[in-house]
Amino acid sequence: MSPDLAPSDPPLVEIAAAVIERDGRYLIARRQDQAVLGGYWEFPGGKRAAGETVEDCLRREVLEETGLRITSARLIQRTGYRYPHAAVDIHFYHCAVAAGDPRPSGAEIRWVSPDRLGDFRFPPANADLLRLLAAGI
């Protein structure tokens, strides 16, 4: 347990998320309706498994969710957020991927320009990253 969480606090979940850019647009995915935060949009990624590095998690999750293989990843932001169901520690990576088009394993994916990201409902933990992307990091 993280030293800043009390025993009654929600569990801490470590997440790796890929900020994949192609032709000035970012790849986003809509969470399935039955999932926690269902219907929200997010950057592809997911929970780190026990014994897995954050980078290995990133590669595995992106491959599972989009079919894309990451060729490089650079940490651009790490943020924490406390939801009622969990406290999250999210590692956002700017990623390059091998050629090919993504194929969704979930609800839906889209390529979106930075100025249109605000048109989509993202989880609150993404707010700082969305501001950075809109500012053209």
Side-chain angles (χ1 to χ4, degrees):
M1 176 175 296
S2 176
D4 58 338
L5 293 178
S8 62
D9 286 336
L12 178 64
V13 179
E14 197 167 18
I15 297 170
V19 179
I20 301 169
E21 183 181 4
R22 181 182 289 169
D23 300 324
R25 297 181 301 157
Y26 294 102
L27 184 65
I28 61 172
R30 193 173 68 77
R31 296 179 63 82
Q32 295 202 19
D33 290 333
Q34 70 276 16
V36 173
L37 299 172
Y40 281 73
W41 290 82
E42 64 183 356
F43 295 93
K47 298 176 190 173
R48 184 179 67 81
E52 185 177 48
T53 68
V54 177
E55 292 83 4
D56 287 343
C57 169
L58 181 71
R59 285 174 172 72
R60 175 183 54 77
E61 287 283 350
V62 170
L63 183 61
E64 288 174 4
E65 291 183 9
T66 68
L68 295 173
R69 293 192 184 278
I70 293 173
T71 58
S72 67
R74 176 181 53 85
L75 183 66
I76 55 174
Q77 185 183 58
R78 184 174 176 186
T79 188
Y81 193 86
R82 192 173 300 217
Y83 293 102
H85 64 278
V88 295
D89 178 14
I90 308 175
H91 303 250
F92 290 103
Y93 286 86
H94 187 269
C95 298
V97 296
D101 291 320
R103 59 182 197 288
S105 66
E108 168 180 11
I109 59 175
R110 291 189 188 176
W111 290 101
V112 179
S113 62
D115 61 327
R116 300 300 308 263
L117 287 170
D119 296 346
F120 297 84
R121 187 172 76 161
F122 283 82
N126 289 230
D128 288 342
L129 175 68
L130 292 170
R131 280 190 287 278
L132 283 174
L133 296 176
I137 60 155

